[in-house]
Amino acid sequence: MSPASSLLSPHAPRRILPLLLPLRLSSSSSSAAAVSAPALAMPPRRDGTKPPPRKWKPKATDASFSSSSASAAAGIAEPVGRMALAPQEPPRAGPAQMWVPRGYATSAADGPGAASASTSTSAAVTAEQGGAASQKLSSLFKTAPHFEVDNSTFTEAQIRATFYPKFENEKSDQERNRISISMELVTAVLGDHGQRPKDDYAVVTAVTELGHGKPKFYSTPEVIAFCRKWRLPTNHVWLFSTRKSASSFFAAYDALCEEGTATPVCKALDEIADISVPGSKDHVKVQGEILEGLVARIVTRESSVQMEEVLRKFPQPPLDGVDSDLGPSLREICAANRSDEKQQIKALLDNVGASMCPDHSDWFGNSGLDAQSRNADRSVVTKFLQAHPTDYATKKLQEMIRLMKQRHFSAAFKCYWNYQKIDSLSNDNLYYKMVIHVHNDSVFRRYQQEMRKNQGLWPLYRGFFVDVNLFKATNKKAAELAKDGDALLKNINGALDSNSSAVDGLADEDSNLMVKLKFLTYKLRTFLIRNGLSTLFKDGPSAYRTYYLRQMKNWGTSPSKQKELSKMLDEWAAYIRRKYGNKPLSSSTYLSEAEPFLEQYAKRSPSNQALIGAAGNLVQTENFLAILDAERDEEGDLRVEHGAAPSSPVSTSVDVVPKTEGLIVFFPGIPGCAKSALCKEILNTPGGLGDNRPLHSLMGDLIKGKYWQKVADERKKKPARIILADKNAPNEEVWRQIEDMCGSTKAAAVPVVPDSEGTDSNPFSLDALAVFMFRVLQRVNHPGNLDKSSPNAGYVLLMFYHLYDGKCRREFENELYERFGSLVKMPLLRPDRAPLPDAVKTVLDEGISLFRLHQNRHGRVEPSKGSYAKEWARWEQRLRVTLFGNADYLNSIQVPFESAVKEVLEQLKAVAKGDIKTPDTGKRKFGNIMFAAVRLTPADIVGLLRKVSEKDTAVNTFLNETKLEDSLTKAHVTLAHKRGHGVAALASYGIYQHQEVPVSFNALYYTDKMAALEAQLGAVNGEQITSRNEWPHATLWTAPGVTPKEANMLPQLASEGKATRVPIEPPITISGVLDFY
C-alpha cells in the first residue's frame, strides 16, 4: 500500500502496505500524504466491457446530505455540514452535453468549438519569453543559498497537508479555512507487501482542517460523517466504549495474533465491540484474507454517543454509478506506460485530469531548467527558524521544528522550490515547499514527553507539507511586522498562562495514546520472507535462520509457532535457493514465488493452513508493476522491525554460554571509553573469565580491511574461544553483523557499555562526553592517530556521539538486552560528583551546534574542507583550553579505573557462567492464548483433598494408590477455550485478568483412570464469573493414555455408576487467579 497522493505529490513517501483495520480510527500505519480536495474517491473497477455513450445531466441535490441535515448531528457533523465545493456555473442551454469520464477531464479550451490561436510568430515569442524566464530562475536558484537572514527577514508558513497523525486531538479549534484528506492507496502496482490486493482501492485515513492555526484532526465520528456526506471510502471501525469491551478487545487480539485473518478477526470484533461501522470496501473482496493489523487508540467517553448520532444522520450512501466507465484503471495505465517512471507519472497525471491536477511543474520542474533545480539547498530550514514569524501558525511551526532539531529527533526536513509561486520569486522573496517526515515511532513517545512539559506545543504528525515564504521587508514594513509579532507573542503567552487549552485545544494526555497490533500471518510474509531475502541470498541459509529466529524472539512468538515457522522457512530457503541459485529474488515480485509455495505448504495439513492463514489466487503483477527509480523505504518498512513489534517474554532462566561455544565481548561506546585498556586488563587476568576457554583480542586500530569480517574469520578458525572485539560498535548495522556471526559460528555476545545517565536523545551524558574527550586529548602515539596531536579530535568524538542520536539511555539498553540477552556496564562517573562546570558545558554545546551546521551543509566532509573550517579550528583550540583548565574536576568525577575493571570482570564472569538473567525491558507481553482459566495453587488443592480423605477412607486409599499428591503440579478451572467456545467468549474474560476469583468445591469425582473436583465460581467486584464449560471442574489426575478432556464425562459416568462422587459438605472455597493460557 502506498499513499494515495504519492500519485499526486512527488515528495510523498512511497510505501507498500496492505490495509489495516483500525480499532477506533480509520488510519493505517503507513504515511498517507494528504490531498487538499474534498472529493477524491477511488473509481470503481471496470468489468472490461465498454458501456454505451451516456447523456450527462446535473444531479439533483440530495436533501439527506444538506448543511441543515449535517448541523443536526449534535455538533459532531457541524464542520461537515459547513463544507461545500467551490460554486460552479449551472449548465448552459445549447447543444446536447455528452458525459465525459472524470479521468479525461478537460479544460474549456479543449472543447470542439475552441479554435487554436497559436501561430509560428506567437510560438517564437513564447519560446523567447520562456527562455528568458528560465535564465532568470537559473540565476535566482544559484544566488538563493546566499540569502542572508537579518533583522528585516520575515517568514510566513502555511500547512497545506498533514499525513498519518500519531497523537490525535478530539477538541476543536476555530480555524476552518482548508481541509486535508489523507488517503491510503492499496495497490499492486508498487510492488509486493504482505499480500497482493485483488483490486486497487483507497480509503480515507484522516481528515484535517488547516488554517493559520494548529491543524485540527477530525475525531472518528467526524471522519465518518464527512466521508459519508462526500461519498468517500472508509475503513472498518470498531468502538469499545466500556472497560469490559476494551479489555475483551486486547484479549481477542492475543487469541488471534498468531493466526488471525480478515474473516475471523472481523467476526470476533463485531461480537465484542459496542459499535461496529463496516468499511466502504469489503477487505476480503478487494484485498484478501491476509490482514496486516489493527490500530487502536483511546478516545473520550462521549465518542459512542457521537458515533450513534452520526450513524443516524449519515446512513451509508448508495452505490450510484458503480457500472460507470471512469477511464483506464491504475493497473491499465501502468501497463501501457512502462518505459520509465517519468512516463508513468505523466500518464497518471493526465488520466487524473486537469480539473484535479492542472499543473505538472511540481513533478517535472521548469521545462527550461534541470529537473534537480526543484531541490532547494539544506540551509532553508535554518533560515526559516532564524527569520521573524509573521503569524501565529508560523511561530508554532518554528517552535515544533526547533524542538525536533534540538532533541535530534529522527526526521527528514526536505525543501523544494515552489513552482506555483514562480512569478513572484525574487532575490528578496523566496518561496519553498517543505516536507517534514518523522521516521521512527520512538520520536512520538519522546515528543509526547515534551508536550507534557510545554502544553503549548502543537501535536506531532507523521508528516507535514508546508508552504514557506522567506522575504525581506522594508524598514517601515519590518517595523509593522515586528510590532504585530510582539503583540502576537503577548497574546499567545497570555492565553497560555490563563488557559493553555483555550489557544491550542489540547486533548487530555490519554487521547494521545495509540498502538499498532500486527498479525503473524502478515509478518511472516513481509518480515520473515521478503525482508529476509537479502540475507538469504547474500549470506546463506544459516544467516537467514539467525535472522528469522531473532525476529520471532523480538515479537514474542510462542515456542510452538516458532517451531512450525522454522520448519516452513527452512524449506522455503532451500526451495528458493535451489530454484534461483545465487541470483537474488526481487522483493518487488517475491510473492510470485512465495504464494505458490505457501499454497502448496498449506494444503499438507490443517496446522499448516492455520500457520499460513490464506494462500492462492495470486494476482499477476509483472505486466503492470510501476517503474520506480527511488528507494521505497522512507518509513523503514524494509528494515528490521526492532522496537515496532512486541518484545519477547522475559526470560526466567539464565543465559548459559556452553563451554563448547564461543563468546564475543564488544563495545558500543565512544573513543575514550577505555575499551582498549580494559581488554588488556582482561587478557592479563589470571584465569581469564573463570573457565578454560582461551582469550583473544582484536584491536580495531591495528586491523586492515573490514574489521568485523576479520572477527568472523577468527571465530570460524577457533569457535570455542572468547574474542574481545576492541573496536567501537556504535550502530544497529554492526549489532546485526554480530548477531549473524553468533548464529553462524555458535557464539554468544555480550555488550560492554560505559555507565551513564544519558540525555533525552542520547545514551551518553555531556559529562561522559567531556571525560571521553579529555582522555583522548591526553593520549600520545595512539595507533589510530586519535590523540593530542590530532587537529580534529573533538570533531571525531562529536561524530561518534551523534551516531547514537535518537535513543535515550533506556531505549539503548533495552535494545541491547533484547538482542543479546545481557549487558555489562562499566562504571564511569562518580554518582556524588559536582555538576558539569558552565565553561565545559558551553564549549560542548557550541561543538554540538557547529557539528549540526556542518553536517547539514556538508554531510561527512572533513571539517577542514567545509565552509566552517575556521570555526572548527577555533573551537578545537577552545575545547583543549577549556578541558585542561578543568582537569582537576574531570579527574575527580571518574570512577578509579582499577575498580571499574574489577566490576566489569565480575559481570563478564557471571555471563560466562550463566549467572545473569535477562532483565524486564518493560514491554507488554503478547501471546497466542488458547483458553481462559482460574489458576489454583497445588498446595491448596492438596490441603482440600486431605480434609476430604480424613472423612472418607475410600478417598484416602485412592489418593495413596495414585500418589495424586505427588503428581499434582498444577490445577485450574477452565472458563472458555478458543476452539470450542470462540474468540469472543474467550476475550470476554479480559477485564478480569489477574483478578482473584473465589472457587467453591462441593464434590470429588474419581475412577481408576481420572479424578476431578466439581467447582462453583464466585464473583469479582460484584460480577459473577461463569464458565462456558457445561460442567465447571478442576482436573486433578489422569492415568497414562487418558486426556484431561475426558474428565468432562465424570458426571455422566457417576450417574451410570461407573464413577464415584464424594460430596464435600460444607463446600471448601479456595481463591485462584484468572488468566489466559
Side-chain angles (χ1 to χ4, degrees):
M1 176 188 337
S2 167
S5 60
S6 65
L7 305 179
L8 302 178
S9 168
H11 314 316
R14 295 184 176 121
R15 190 179 178 206
I16 314 164
L17 264 178
L19 173 66
L20 297 184
L21 294 184
L23 162 66
R24 177 61 181 83
L25 170 67
S26 294
S27 172
S28 73
S29 69
S30 78
S31 320
V35 183
S36 296
L40 182 62
M42 192 68 181
R45 300 283 291 138
R46 297 195 306 168
D47 58 4
T49 60
K50 186 174 182 180
R54 299 174 182 166
K55 299 288 184 179
W56 176 89
K57 65 178 181 180
K59 185 176 179 180
T61 302
D62 189 342
S64 65
F65 297 122
S66 67
S67 296
S68 60
S69 175
S71 63
I76 289 300
E78 180 190 3
V80 178
R82 287 202 304 272
M83 292 180 179
L85 294 174
Q88 298 178 354
E89 293 185 14
R92 301 175 182 175
Q97 294 168 305
M98 291 296 294
W99 178 84
V100 181
R102 175 190 283 177
Y104 301 108
T106 56
S107 64
D110 295 328
S116 173
S118 62
T119 63
S120 59
T121 303
S122 63
V125 172
T126 302
E128 183 178 348
Q129 292 174 343
S134 296
Q135 185 176 2
K136 174 186 174 183
L137 288 174
S138 181
S139 175
L140 180 63
F141 291 168
K142 291 178 182 178
T143 60
H146 304 291
F147 181 93
E148 295 291 339
V149 177
D150 53 30
N151 203 40
S152 66
T153 306
F154 289 81
T155 183
E156 181 180 10
Q158 282 193 324
I159 297 178
R160 291 301 182 187
T162 61
F163 59 93
Y164 188 24
K166 288 289 293 190
F167 295 130
E168 287 74 40
N169 169 21
E170 291 218 352
K171 295 185 180 179
S172 173
D173 40 36
Q174 299 302 315
E175 300 179 19
R176 293 184 169 92
N177 296 340
R178 303 185 311 280
I179 59 169
S180 163
I181 304 173
S182 302
M183 304 189 77
E184 193 84 42
L185 173 63
V186 186
T187 178
V189 306
L190 293 175
D192 288 343
H193 183 103
Q195 183 187 41
R196 291 176 185 169
K198 300 176 182 177
D199 202 351
D200 297 328
Y201 64 100
V203 289
V204 173
T205 58
V207 179
T208 314
E209 289 183 357
L210 304 171
H212 291 284
K214 180 179 64 176
K216 189 266 179 180
F217 180 72
Y218 274 24
S219 67
T220 306
E222 290 172 333
V223 170
I224 298 297
F226 178 87
C227 290
R228 289 194 170 184
K229 174 177 180 179
W230 295 109
R231 300 171 61 124
L232 297 176
T234 58
N235 228 332
H236 202 147
V237 175
W238 293 273
L239 177 64
F240 303 87
S241 58
T242 65
R243 183 168 173 265
K244 183 175 182 178
S245 62
S247 300
S248 296
F249 161 73
F250 286 106
Y253 172 74
D254 278 350
L256 291 166
C257 64
E258 291 192 345
E259 54 190 46
T261 54
T263 296
V265 169
C266 293
K267 179 177 182 296
L269 297 187
D270 284 342
E271 294 175 4
I272 296 169
D274 299 302
I275 296 177
S276 175
V277 185
S280 307
K281 303 284 185 179
D282 186 324
H283 189 281
V284 175
K285 292 181 179 178
V286 293
Q287 169 67 65
E289 279 288 353
I290 298 303
L291 180 63
E292 177 173 351
L294 306 165
V295 179
R297 73 182 185 96
I298 294 178
V299 295
T300 61
R301 292 180 179 274
E302 294 75 23
S303 290
S304 59
V305 177
Q306 296 166 354
M307 182 68 82
E308 289 172 353
E309 186 71 13
V310 165
L311 295 179
R312 281 195 297 269
K313 297 295 182 181
F314 294 92
Q316 189 76 269
L319 298 176
D320 294 342
V322 292
D323 296 325
S324 300
D325 181 0
L326 299 180
S329 70
L330 177 59
R331 300 183 185 188
E332 291 168 338
I333 295 170
C334 288
N337 299 273
R338 295 188 53 78
S339 61
D340 56 40
E341 183 179 16
K342 185 175 181 180
Q343 178 191 344
Q344 284 191 338
I345 292 175
K346 187 177 186 304
L348 289 167
L349 295 174
D350 289 341
N351 277 276
V352 166
S355 61
M356 180 166 289
C357 186
D359 188 346
H360 296 184
S361 60
D362 280 338
W363 287 264
F364 306 116
N366 185 283
S367 59
L369 298 172
D370 185 271
Q372 294 301 317
S373 65
R374 66 175 180 268
N375 299 329
D377 72 289
R378 294 183 177 183
S379 66
V380 173
V381 177
T382 302
K383 293 171 183 175
F384 170 70
L385 295 178
Q386 293 172 342
H388 300 298
T390 60
D391 56 23
Y392 175 59
T394 304
K395 176 68 178 176
K396 301 305 290 184
L397 272 170
Q398 285 178 321
E399 182 181 33
M400 173 190 291
I401 296 171
R402 188 174 290 111
L403 174 69
M404 295 173 71
K405 288 283 189 179
Q406 290 173 346
R407 297 292 187 266
H408 315 303
F409 289 166
S410 178
F413 299 86
K414 298 181 180 179
C415 295
Y416 307 85
W417 288 101
N418 187 347
Y419 283 99
Q420 307 300 325
K421 299 286 187 178
I422 207 163
D423 294 333
S424 302
L425 285 172
S426 69
N427 288 329
D428 291 337
N429 192 31
L430 305 177
Y431 289 89
Y432 300 98
K433 290 187 175 183
M434 183 190 300
V435 180
I436 306 170
H437 184 196
V438 177
H439 288 154
N440 296 332
D441 285 354
S442 62
V443 171
F444 298 103
R445 293 192 296 271
R446 291 162 56 197
Y447 192 86
Q448 187 183 26
Q449 294 173 356
E450 297 293 337
M451 290 181 73
R452 294 192 186 106
K453 302 174 188 175
N454 180 3
Q455 294 189 355
L457 279 174
W458 276 7
L460 185 64
Y461 294 73
R462 176 63 80 177
F464 296 83
F465 295 94
V466 185
D467 283 354
V468 175
N469 178 205
L470 281 170
F471 62 94
K472 302 280 187 179
T474 62
N475 291 337
K476 180 180 179 181
K477 183 65 174 177
E480 293 175 357
L481 289 171
K483 183 178 179 181
D484 293 342
D486 290 340
L488 169 71
L489 292 179
K490 288 180 181 178
N491 291 335
I492 294 172
N493 294 331
L496 288 176
D497 291 339
S498 61
N499 182 6
S500 62
S501 62
V503 175
D504 285 310
L506 289 175
D508 292 334
E509 191 174 294
D510 282 348
S511 68
N512 292 335
L513 301 179
M514 177 183 287
V515 62
K516 294 186 291 186
L517 306 166
K518 297 187 178 182
F519 292 97
L520 186 60
T521 51
Y522 160 81
K523 291 193 290 187
L524 76 87
R525 288 165 165 80
T526 301
F527 298 108
L528 300 186
I529 294 181
R530 187 194 70 177
N531 290 10
L533 287 174
S534 60
T535 301
L536 174 60
F537 282 95
K538 180 181 177 182
D539 302 321
S542 178
Y544 176 59
R545 181 177 178 82
T546 300
Y547 163 78
Y548 71 65
L549 287 175
R550 180 181 65 237
Q551 285 290 80
M552 289 190 285
K553 177 186 175 183
N554 289 339
W555 297 336
T557 308
S558 64
S560 61
K561 286 295 180 184
Q562 286 196 43
K563 184 177 180 180
E564 292 179 54
L565 281 171
S566 296
K567 179 182 177 182
M568 185 271 288
L569 292 170
D570 286 344
E571 189 171 324
W572 155 255
Y575 163 79
I576 202 65
R577 282 291 297 265
R578 184 168 59 249
K579 184 171 183 179
Y580 276 73
N582 294 323
K583 181 183 178 182
L585 174 64
S586 170
S587 62
S588 295
T589 57
Y590 79 101
L591 286 177
S592 295
E593 296 291 348
E595 277 295 333
F597 170 83
L598 294 174
E599 182 179 14
Q600 293 301 316
Y601 193 87
K603 289 178 180 179
R604 298 180 193 173
S605 68
S607 61
N608 284 6
Q609 180 65 54
L611 180 72
I612 301 305
N617 300 320
L618 182 69
V619 177
Q620 297 298 327
T621 65
E622 284 73 15
N623 293 328
F624 56 75
L625 199 66
I627 308 299
L628 295 171
D629 297 329
E631 182 61 47
R632 300 189 304 270
D633 193 28
E634 289 205 30
E635 207 173 329
D637 210 34
L638 297 180
R639 303 172 193 158
V640 179
E641 213 189 27
H642 292 297
S647 70
S648 58
V650 176
S651 174
T652 56
S653 61
V654 295
D655 299 308
V656 180
V657 181
K659 300 299 181 288
T660 57
E661 296 185 359
L663 180 65
I664 303 172
V665 180
F666 68 101
F667 301 88
I670 293 175
C673 67
K675 63 184 180 304
S676 297
L678 176 63
C679 289
K680 290 179 182 178
E681 292 295 327
I682 295 174
L683 286 173
N684 295 330
T685 300
L689 297 185
D691 56 29
N692 296 324
R693 285 177 294 179
L695 288 164
H696 182 60
S697 179
L698 289 172
M699 189 175 186
D701 295 317
L702 300 177
I703 301 295
K704 295 182 179 180
K706 296 182 178 180
Y707 176 82
W708 295 105
Q709 184 58 51
K710 177 67 174 177
V711 174
D713 294 340
E714 291 294 320
R715 286 280 317 120
K716 293 175 182 176
K717 292 177 184 177
K718 297 183 179 180
R721 69 179 173 181
I722 298 172
I723 286 187
L724 306 178
D726 183 6
K727 183 179 178 65
N728 288 301
N731 53 38
E732 296 178 10
E733 181 183 353
V734 173
W735 300 349
R736 282 196 292 270
Q737 291 183 53
I738 296 172
E739 286 180 296
D740 295 340
M741 205 183 307
C742 290
S744 61
T745 64
K746 293 185 178 180
V750 55
V752 178
V753 300
D755 202 1
S756 171
E757 299 91 342
T759 68
D760 290 341
S761 59
N762 198 294
F764 298 104
S765 65
L766 289 181
D767 308 53
L769 179 60
V771 168
F772 296 152
M773 288 182 168
F774 183 59
R775 289 176 176 177
V776 167
L777 292 174
Q778 295 179 86
R779 292 174 175 173
V780 179
N781 297 325
H782 184 262
N785 297 321
L786 185 62
D787 50 32
K788 63 186 300 182
S789 63
S790 171
N792 299 326
Y795 169 82
V796 173
L797 269 290
L798 287 174
M799 182 181 67
F800 271 92
Y801 182 74
H802 281 80
L803 289 175
Y804 295 93
D805 244 6
K807 286 188 175 73
C808 67
R809 186 70 183 192
R810 179 175 174 82
E811 292 170 331
F812 170 70
E813 291 184 357
N814 281 353
E815 182 160 359
L816 289 170
Y817 276 131
E818 290 174 7
R819 286 175 178 269
F820 302 103
S822 59
L823 178 68
V824 170
K825 296 183 181 181
M826 183 178 182
L828 175 65
L829 303 174
R830 294 181 183 273
D832 57 347
R833 66 187 181 276
L836 194 67
D838 289 340
V840 177
K841 185 176 185 301
T842 298
V843 76
L844 293 179
D845 286 338
E846 290 173 352
I848 290 172
S849 298
L850 183 58
F851 180 86
R852 291 174 192 156
L853 288 172
H854 175 87
Q855 189 180 49
N856 287 338
R857 175 163 291 188
H858 303 296
R860 296 185 178 182
V861 174
E862 292 182 13
S864 61
K865 297 180 180 178
S867 56
Y868 301 104
K870 294 181 180 179
E871 287 85 351
W872 274 118
R874 288 194 292 266
W875 179 81
E876 290 279 358
Q877 182 61 32
R878 196 160 58 251
L879 174 70
R880 286 158 173 78
V881 172
T882 303
L883 293 184
F884 287 114
N886 289 272
D888 290 342
Y889 168 81
L890 293 172
N891 284 320
S892 69
I893 66 173
Q894 299 181 47
V895 173
F897 182 65
E898 297 77 11
S899 61
V901 171
K902 181 180 178 182
E903 191 164 333
V904 170
L905 278 171
E906 290 175 354
Q907 295 179 67
L908 286 174
K909 289 177 180 179
V911 171
K913 293 178 181 177
D915 292 338
I916 288 184
K917 292 185 179 180
T918 304
D920 186 354
T921 58
K923 292 187 178 181
R924 180 175 182 263
K925 174 183 174 181
F926 290 83
N928 184 26
I929 62 176
M930 298 300 295
F931 65 94
V934 177
R935 184 179 69 251
L936 303 165
T937 304
D940 292 337
I941 298 294
V942 169
L944 179 152
L945 292 174
R946 287 176 180 172
K947 291 180 180 180
V948 175
S949 65
E950 290 173 359
K951 299 179 180 180
D952 192 311
T953 56
V955 171
N956 187 57
T957 301
F958 172 77
L959 295 178
N960 290 332
E961 290 177 349
T962 58
K963 297 182 180 180
L964 192 151
E965 292 185 9
D966 297 332
S967 63
L968 185 63
T969 58
K970 56 185 178 180
H972 64 263
V973 178
T974 299
L975 302 177
H977 198 283
K978 180 167 66 174
R979 298 285 182 243
H981 303 102
V983 172
L986 178 63
S988 66
Y989 296 99
I991 194 172
Y992 309 113
Q993 189 176 14
H994 304 315
Q995 298 287 318
E996 280 201 2
V997 180
V999 182
S1000 295
F1001 295 101
N1002 50 32
L1004 170 67
Y1005 288 78
Y1006 65 92
T1007 68
D1008 60 345
K1009 294 182 178 180
M1010 52 191 161
L1013 287 169
E1014 186 174 78
Q1016 183 174 346
L1017 298 161
V1020 174
N1021 298 326
E1023 295 189 36
Q1024 181 64 41
I1025 304 297
T1026 58
S1027 173
R1028 301 301 176 104
N1029 272 346
E1030 187 176 343
W1031 181 57
H1033 66 280
T1035 301
L1036 305 178
W1037 170 81
T1038 58
V1042 179
T1043 63
K1045 185 178 180 180
E1046 294 182 41
N1048 284 291
M1049 300 299 296
L1050 281 170
Q1052 181 179 340
L1053 294 174
S1055 66
E1056 297 172 355
K1058 298 178 181 178
T1060 301
R1061 181 183 188 274
V1062 181
I1064 302 175
E1065 295 177 352
I1068 298 176
T1069 300
I1070 298 175
S1071 290
V1073 178
L1074 194 153
D1075 211 340
F1076 292 108
Y1077 301 91

